[in-house]
Amino acid sequence: MRKMLSLISSALRLSAGRTGSRVVVSARTYADFTPQATFDIKKCDLHKLEEGPPVQAVLTREEGLQYYRTMQIMRRMELKADQLYKQKIIRGFCHLYDGQEACAVGIEAGINLTDHLITAYRAHGYTLTRGGTVREIMAELTGRRGGIAKGKGGSMHMYAKNFYGGNGIVGAQVPLGAGVALACKYQGKNELCVCLYGDGAANQGQIFETYNMASLWKLPCIFICENNRYGMGTSVERAAASTDYYKRGDFIPGLRVDGMDILCVREATKFAADHCRSGKGPIIMELQTYRYHGHSMSDPGISYRTREEIQEVRSKSDPISMLKDRMLNNNMASVEELKEIDVEVRKEIEDAAQFATTDPEPPLEDLCNHIFHNEPPLEVRGTNPWVKLKSVS
Amino acid sequence: MDKIRNEQIRGTVKVEQFGDKAREARLRWFGRVLRRNRGYIGQRMLEMELPGRRRRGRPQRRFMDVVKVDMEMVGVKVEEAVDRARWRQMIHCDFQLLQVTVRDALNQAMDEELERDERVFLLGEEVAQYDGAYKVSRGLWKKYGDKRIIDTPISEMGFAGIAVGAAMAGLRPICEFMTFNFSMQAIDQVINSAAKTCYMSAGLQAVPIVFRGPNGASAGVAAQHSQCFAAWYGHCPGLKVVSPWNSEDARGLLKSAIRDDNPVVVLENELMYGVAFEVSEQGLSKDFTIPIGKAKVERPGNHVTLVSHSRMVGHCLDAAAVLAKEGIECEVINLRTIRPLDVETIEASVVKTNHLITVEGGWPQFGVGAEICARIMEGPAFNYLDAPVIRVTGVDIPMPYAKILEDNSTPQIKDIIFSVKKTLNM
């Protein structure tokens, strides 16, 4: 008996050592949790579509935990970036994504890693879902050599496989995304491209040029407008004659989705992906979401909206809380389990922040590298005629 | 179906045109007859008049009639027949090196690259069914179809962005701007999305794209359609910019551009499209490429260096021909590439000639010539200059319409000659 107890306790201590948290000897085992549940989700508004995504979504326990974990990582990462920016360790532009986690995680849940994605400058969340690690992302923000772009890009220019950034020029990423979709169609691999832009960018002319060509050539492109109600400091009512962004594509079918509910986003994305893959051409999704921070770190975010508004969204529609409540109410996870995940996530972020602050900056020899791809080494003029710098690709 | 011109077949097997050969035979016999003794029956036959009544209608063509025309064509006189060797040399017809227009050179280059690599495709306004606004892509749509040759709506910013996105995702697009004036609408995609991406992503994301189209002044198209963008694109790191002059340049540089894994801007010239040049057999091979970043000395000389690009190279050569008659030997350099600039070739030439003149069609301020001046000053060649570098450029005005005004807005041969004489203190 004693031997058995000691065996169990040593096993528990071992697992405790790995996760670094107190092991709660719970009375409930994993077998007690509901493996999956069906949830009612909001119906989407449709434009030029006969039927929309289903109004019910099935969530399994594994999926729930994975979404929770990813969203929590994203939230903590952005908050950490906020902290580091205020400490002046991150400089320049820093556009934070907290509040919009359900969009990034939901979209990724609806497509495959072999599909393609491109977004604008509020890109940290997507870099994560597309395969970037927190360490690489944070080191890129602090401009260190361990960054995902070796410190050369910064907050707005992060790249990963099948992820084309991170683009600084508002709206320019939309034609690029359609081009990626063209390549998908050309190469016939049944892949599609998700092309994101904001409510501010939705008024750019090149987006309408892209709608025209994507529709004409039936490109497998999902245009997603992340409507977080403010384009920098301008509310949608002051910027757009028509705020029905899902209808702006005119001849392109569209749907308006609750962007704070991850299941809603996931189902809508799956629906849109099916639409594209069946050769019907592009489709538009408007995700109604919200950002807690201002436009960027230099914007406190309260001059054009009230603190009450931000508080209201945080308390009523926070994506992470919503998922958490759903899982707890349906016995899909325990409070302790989720707390455990929180602690793990916190540690991961701390670890990454530590790396990001201590990793050395890129070497000066790297200054002129990577101008070209696959190019023999060339000489680059420095700041004065005697400084001749070397560039390798 | 493949279209192969007769000239190409003849050039490849080195066979002359039959009519030319027949002419040579006639003149050869004629010379032989003239060199025979007086009284040779053949000589009398030359001037023979048929007896009898003249028939109605046009008189029959006689041998002498044909030979007179032949001699005019070849440029010989009866007196020259006495010297057999010289006569033979003058009437000899050589097989002609293939004459290819710049338009056909570009067309062939694209055709061969489309065939060679599945990922290459062409998009732009009117490139498919219209055969190209300037007929540069003639026949390509018929051969390759809708997938590879894509007509776009009039949306430069949109389709340039689409082309860049396709390049990012693994294809190798050729994006045609109907003229580079319209590229200004899309210049953000060329610079911010194409040129800078490899650097911003630390080499993770390549953009193997070609932007091509006619650049610079045309004829009578006025201010909005006549700007030269060599300086604008040449300013930006991350881009390569080439500016072909003749057919060989056009073929080689466009092929290199398509095979390059980086964004390349190919600045063609509308007035050069219809001009034919001799292309060597090597220049016609399917793998003929010209390295980007190397200039070519088109004409060696000792007294002054003329550096130019695109159409102005022709003007420089014409000016050099005129000056040669006065004993001034100009070295004419065809830049071929604007960025990266081949300063070494220019410097080597300046060391030899001690005088430098740059000739371009674009505006003077912040132009290609200005950059060459700065580079020469910063380099070793400065110490070899006997006079300041002179820039011959387009007039610093928007291009006017009236012919007399337009003609006086771009460098003419007399301007180049004037500048040469000025720099040589003549």
Side-chain angles (χ1 to χ4, degrees), chain A residues 89-100:
Chain A
I89 300 173
I90 298 179
R91 41 187 280 280
F93 287 131
C94 192
H95 306 89
L96 297 176
Y97 199 64
D98 52 319
Q100 299 185 215

Side-chain angles (χ1 to χ4, degrees), chain A residues 116 118 148-150 152-153 157 159-160 163-164 167 169 171-172 175-180 182-183 186-187 204 206 209-210 212-214 216-217 219 366-375 381 385, chain B residues 118-121 123 147-148 150-153 155-159 161-162 164-166 168-171 188-189 192-193 195 197-206 237-240 260-262 378:
Chain A
H116 307 258
I118 189 171
I148 202 166
K150 302 197 176 77
K152 294 267 195 79
H157 306 296
Y159 299 81
F163 175 58
Y164 303 90
N167 289 277
I169 308 294
L176 292 180
V180 173
L182 178 81
Y186 190 102
Q187 290 165 330
Q204 271 266 316
Q206 52 188 322
E209 293 187 6
T210 311
N212 182 34
M213 285 185 270
L216 207 56
W217 301 331
L219 300 180
D366 208 29
L367 179 67
C368 297
N369 291 344
H370 311 122
I371 299 178
F372 292 122
H373 185 77
N374 248 352
E375 181 84 356
R381 187 193 196 277
Chain B
E118 259 279 298
R119 301 167 297 174
V120 178
F121 71 100
L123 91 167
K147 183 181 174 191
R148 315 277 306 276
I150 304 177
D151 269 337
T152 64
S155 322
E156 272 77 9
M157 202 164 180
F159 72 71
I162 285 181
V164 175
M168 287 181 178
L171 300 182
D188 173 65
Q189 298 288 2
N192 280 321
S193 302
T197 293
C198 190
Y199 186 83
M200 289 194 298
S201 65
L204 281 174
Q205 181 65 65
L239 271 189
K240 298 187 186 180
D260 201 307
D261 285 338
N262 297 289
E378 288 179 351

Side-chain angles (χ1 to χ4, degrees), chain B residues 240-272:
Chain B
K240 298 187 186 180
V241 183
V242 299
S243 183
W245 165 58
N246 62 13
S247 304
E248 204 162 295
D249 287 354
R251 252 183 86 81
L253 288 172
L254 184 54
K255 273 173 171 296
S256 292
I258 295 171
R259 295 183 190 195
D260 201 307
D261 285 338
N262 297 289
V264 184
V265 172
V266 181
L267 303 170
E268 301 158 9
N269 188 299
E270 200 247 312
L271 294 170
M272 296 304 291

Side-chain angles (χ1 to χ4, degrees), chain A residues 5 17 24-25 50 62 92 152-153 156 170 173 180 195 221 229 239 268 276-277 283 295 305 314 323 328 371 379 387:
Chain A
L5 278 172
V24 175
V25 183
E50 292 297 314
E62 287 76 40
K152 294 267 195 79
M156 296 189 296
V170 171
Q173 76 276 13
V180 173
C195 183
C221 195
R229 304 195 213 166
C276 283
R277 280 191 234 273
I283 187 169
H295 162 73
R305 53 187 189 174
R314 220 188 257 276
L323 179 64
L328 290 176
I371 299 178
E379 213 173 63
V387 177

Side-chain angles (χ1 to χ4, degrees), chain A residues 48-68:
Chain A
K48 295 232 162 94
L49 280 168
E50 292 297 314
E51 40 177 62
V55 292
Q56 287 196 323
V58 173
L59 178 69
T60 69
R61 198 181 112 81
E62 287 76 40
E63 281 172 352
L65 289 174
Q66 190 230 317
Y67 299 159
Y68 180 83

Side-chain angles (χ1 to χ4, degrees), chain B residues 101-118:
Chain B
T101 60
V102 173
R103 174 184 291 115
D104 286 341
L106 293 165
N107 184 289
Q108 284 163 17
M110 284 198 286
D111 193 351
E112 288 163 12
E113 293 306 301
L114 282 158
E115 196 172 11
R116 176 179 177 268
D117 191 337
E118 259 279 298

